[in-house]
Amino acid sequence: MKKTILLTALVLSGLTSFAQSNDEKNIKLFYKKALTESKAYTWLEYLSNDIGARLSGSQNAQLAVNYTKSQLESLGLDKVYLQEVMVPHWVRGEKESAFILNGKVKTAVPICALGGSVATAKTGLTAEVVEVQGIKELAELGDKVKGKIVFFNRPMNPENIETFISYGACVDQRFAGAKEAAKLGAVGTIVRSMNLRLDDFPHTGAQSYGDLPKEQYIPTAAISTNGAELLSATLKSNPSLKFYFKQSCETLPDALSYNVIGELTGTVTPENILVVGGHLDSWDLADGSQDDGAGVVQSMEVVRILKNLNYKPKNTIRVVLFMNEENGGKGGAKYEEVSKQKNENHIFALESDSGGFSPRGFSIEADDANLKKIQGFRDFFEPYLVHSFTIGHAGSDISHLTSKAIVKAGLKPDSQRYFDYHHAANDKFDAVNKRELELGAATMTSLLYLLDQTGIEMPKAN
């Protein structure tokens, strides 16, 4: 009887193994390769610790272009090349300073200039402060803000589990706050950092004066969340207090830079292109390890895994390391411009620009048929604790792509800690967990592989 039970168990075990599909076996192999022999963490260490911050137009941005191109060439891809793109060149200058001036009490608070801002006068800027919760409240005040510094203090909502929803709900005050305040005669703006926790790190980010004439530009800076709380509390006790800040940033002429591109040529339909990528530039306060060094090295790891396994893709797989996502989006726009000129056909694009945390799924831009198709892959990902396949924004750089029929997806890592580091001085190499980074790369490889194998659902002709 015991022998019969044992034999039955062995047969069932064999059947289970035999029944495992080639796709399941390959995906398991992708994860194994990523977790045991990945180069992603080593690449990230070099980008972060040997090169550092990579703001568009900077010398470090060029060093990153040179390094990633050389590493892609070492993988033995079919093609590796650079794509020229002109990018904005904004520089921060000297470290910013700021003080709350409450009567005779002078209290320093951490600030940083927002990207694209103009400088204050060399002696700084001092004015009374008006606190608002957003652009709508600013508009209601009208000319009451004339000659004053507008303090945008709408916090990110902690109730949202998906923290990018909280970010999206208040980032308009950072991007357009200075423009709207300038229209009403304000002399400067201070914006609460896009951060869910209370700390002393101001978070930079892009802002725009829109179509304002240059003579109306006013300086704008982010203040740390602790600083924002202190300023708000002090204003309640003394609405007549003044605020001082000084910054020396400037915008230089546009600079020549590059997208870095590598290819595995398709063996069946090479004219169809699948893109995987992240953005090579970062803000200048830190190493940009989460944003977006992680996405860069994960994208490189995808093609390393496939090449290492001697995978012959049906379609052309192209890794693109975009330049200038942070303060202009010129790399993504240039890539699409050149693709149109060449009449290229992209059928799928995958971006990683949400940090190197544990992967949870994908945010998908697709019609109903292709959304259903990708959601049908869930069982392949369930063993790896990847479960979220939902409609949503896929990525800034791939948003430019406009092929006739294209599916887009963004890697969706756990987002709870992302805004602790986003655009701040603590976005350094030690903020990234090696294993989480590698799991993200394997997850990306798996989805790209499945779409290469199956293609996308083409729209039906009318």
Side-chain angles (χ1 to χ4, degrees), residues 129-144:
V129 179
V130 176
E131 179 178 347
V132 297
Q133 291 297 300
I135 291 174
K136 181 180 179 182
E137 186 178 340
L138 169 69
E140 292 169 355
L141 290 175
D143 61 6
K144 292 179 182 179

Side-chain angles (χ1 to χ4, degrees), residues 112-131:
C112 66
L114 291 176
S117 176
V118 294
T120 60
K122 290 183 179 180
T123 55
L125 169 65
T126 303
E128 290 186 356
V129 179
V130 176
E131 179 178 347

Side-chain angles (χ1 to χ4, degrees), residues 239-312:
S240 298
L241 68 76
K242 292 187 176 180
F243 191 85
Y244 165 90
F245 73 107
K246 179 183 176 183
Q247 56 192 41
S248 58
C249 43
E250 63 176 319
T251 299
L252 302 176
D254 286 358
L256 175 64
S257 193
Y258 305 90
N259 294 327
V260 183
I261 302 173
E263 287 185 11
L264 291 172
T265 305
T267 57
V268 179
T269 49
E271 67 277 10
N272 292 337
I273 301 168
L274 288 76
V275 162
V276 58
H279 66 85
L280 194 50
D281 61 307
S282 77
W283 282 107
D284 58 323
L285 296 178
D287 309 333
S289 298
Q290 294 283 7
D291 186 18
D292 186 31
V296 165
V297 300
Q298 285 174 329
S299 301
M300 294 169 66
E301 180 67 12
V302 169
V303 292
R304 188 203 70 80
I305 289 172
L306 295 175
K307 179 64 178 177
N308 183 264
L309 291 172
N310 199 32
Y311 177 67
K312 303 297 183 185

